[in-house]
Amino acid sequence: MPEVMLNGARIHYEERGQGPETIVFSHGLLWSGRMFRAQVAALSDRYRCVTFDFRGQGESAVTADGYDMDTLTQDAAELIAALGLAPCHFAGLSMGGFVGMRLAARRPDLIRSLILMETSADPEPQENIPQYRRLLAVARWVGLRPVAGRVMPIMFGATFMRDPGRAEERREWQGYMAANNRVGVIRATEGVITRKPIYDELGAITLPTLIIIGDEDVATTPDHSARMRDAIEGAQLVRIPRAGHTSSVEEPEAVTVAIKAFLAGLPRR
């Protein structure tokens, strides 16, 4: 499996397609680059598509520290440099979006455009933190498997969760969640719920930006997306019907269509 050592961590990545431009996909908490497999399949005929797993998640190494958003941003910057991906289109979902905003504001030399999905520039809402703490307390002792069923309605919208025709998909993704390394996920979750806001830096983002939000997202509600759109000059906002916090999986075609339209509208280099 392809991997690279950077910033003190062994990072797993996957690459598909050989187009003249590159899209880097940055996953959300509890998942991996796997969550973008539909978008990679649809876009790799014209773009070089790269997915990677953050430290402590997916196939990447569990490290003793470095799970704060600034360190994860440095990880992503070093990955882009090490693989010769700059300037790339950077697509981040949830936690991946936290990193994407920091990259766009601080390292615009690495990024050509920014795609933000189901994410927020604000700190974790205080009312959410106690439930995450309770889940972490269980996970510390027995892992994620006993609590995965309780997390699924946070990660996926009501339409996906209730559709009898998608029961096998739900089992598949719950299995992926439960298979996470217990220590890595605990550390990654701490990094997410204690993150600092990035809202005050959004004015520094001058790159073309697309914001995607599922209209059933309960983890990052649509008002956060509108707030980011208003702070980033020229940002576009697309709402995805019937999608929750994992829109790339729940409504893959609609997300892919939005990304394709956005990229097609960018000026050619």
Side-chain angles (χ1 to χ4, degrees):
M1 64 179 66
E3 57 186 41
V4 60
M5 284 296 302
L6 49 87
N7 200 25
R10 176 182 55 78
I11 300 298
H12 169 80
Y13 71 94
E14 296 184 10
E15 188 172 343
R16 181 174 170 186
Q18 298 180 350
E21 299 180 21
T22 298
I23 309 173
V24 175
F25 292 93
S26 177
H27 68 85
L29 179 68
L30 304 183
W31 305 123
S32 69
R34 181 189 289 115
M35 73 183 311
F36 298 111
R37 62 189 177 190
Q39 289 70 46
V40 169
L43 295 166
S44 58
D45 62 335
R46 66 186 70 183
Y47 295 96
R48 180 185 181 189
C49 296
V50 176
T51 62
F52 71 98
D53 299 346
F54 284 109
R55 59 174 70 200
Q57 298 180 83
E59 300 295 327
S60 290
V62 177
T63 57
D65 53 22
Y67 295 88
D68 61 283
M69 295 306 115
D70 289 345
T71 302
L72 297 185
T73 299
Q74 184 63 28
D75 289 352
E78 292 194 17
L79 178 84
I80 292 168
L83 300 183
L85 308 179
C88 65
H89 306 287
F90 193 91
L93 189 149
S94 190
M95 182 180 70
F98 305 156
V99 168
M101 284 181 273
R102 286 163 172 80
L103 276 176
R106 302 169 187 175
R107 293 297 309 274
D109 56 305
L110 300 177
I111 310 295
R112 184 168 179 227
S113 74
L114 181 63
I115 301 168
L116 301 172
M117 295 174 268
E118 321 299 340
T119 194
S120 170
D122 301 309
E124 188 65 32
Q126 285 298 312
E127 61 270 21
N128 291 352
I129 292 177
Q131 65 175 327
Y132 288 129
R133 295 284 187 205
R134 288 192 292 271
L135 291 171
L136 286 178
V138 175
R140 280 190 176 92
W141 289 102
V142 295
L144 277 176
R145 192 168 300 277
V147 298
R150 293 164 55 192
V151 178
M152 287 288 287
I154 300 172
M155 291 295 174
F156 295 94
T159 298
F160 179 83
M161 291 299 296
R162 295 171 183 169
D163 187 346
R166 303 186 78 174
E168 182 58 36
E169 283 184 84
R170 290 195 294 274
R171 285 192 291 271
E172 177 188 20
W173 287 96
Q174 185 168 330
Y176 291 146
M177 183 193 304
N180 270 298
N181 180 281
R182 175 174 57 88
V183 174
V185 163
I186 289 170
R187 292 172 179 170
T189 303
E190 287 285 355
V192 164
I193 66 177
T194 61
R195 71 185 184 275
K196 296 179 181 179
I198 186 71
Y199 183 81
D200 289 345
E201 296 186 47
L202 296 187
I205 298 177
T206 58
L207 303 166
T209 300
L210 170 66
I211 301 169
I212 295 173
I213 182 67
D215 64 2
E216 296 180 4
D217 192 341
V218 297
T220 304
T221 50
D223 55 299
H224 291 279
S225 295
R227 181 168 152 82
M228 292 188 301
R229 177 203 57 200
D230 294 343
I232 301 174
E233 185 175 357
Q236 304 174 35
L237 176 60
V238 173
R239 293 176 69 109
I240 305 294
R242 302 175 300 279
H245 196 61
T246 315
S247 57
S248 63
V249 173
E250 297 169 78
E251 292 294 330
E253 185 174 353
V255 169
T256 301
V257 166
I259 292 174
K260 281 184 174 179
F262 170 69
L263 295 178
L266 298 179
R268 293 188 177 273
R269 289 198 295 175

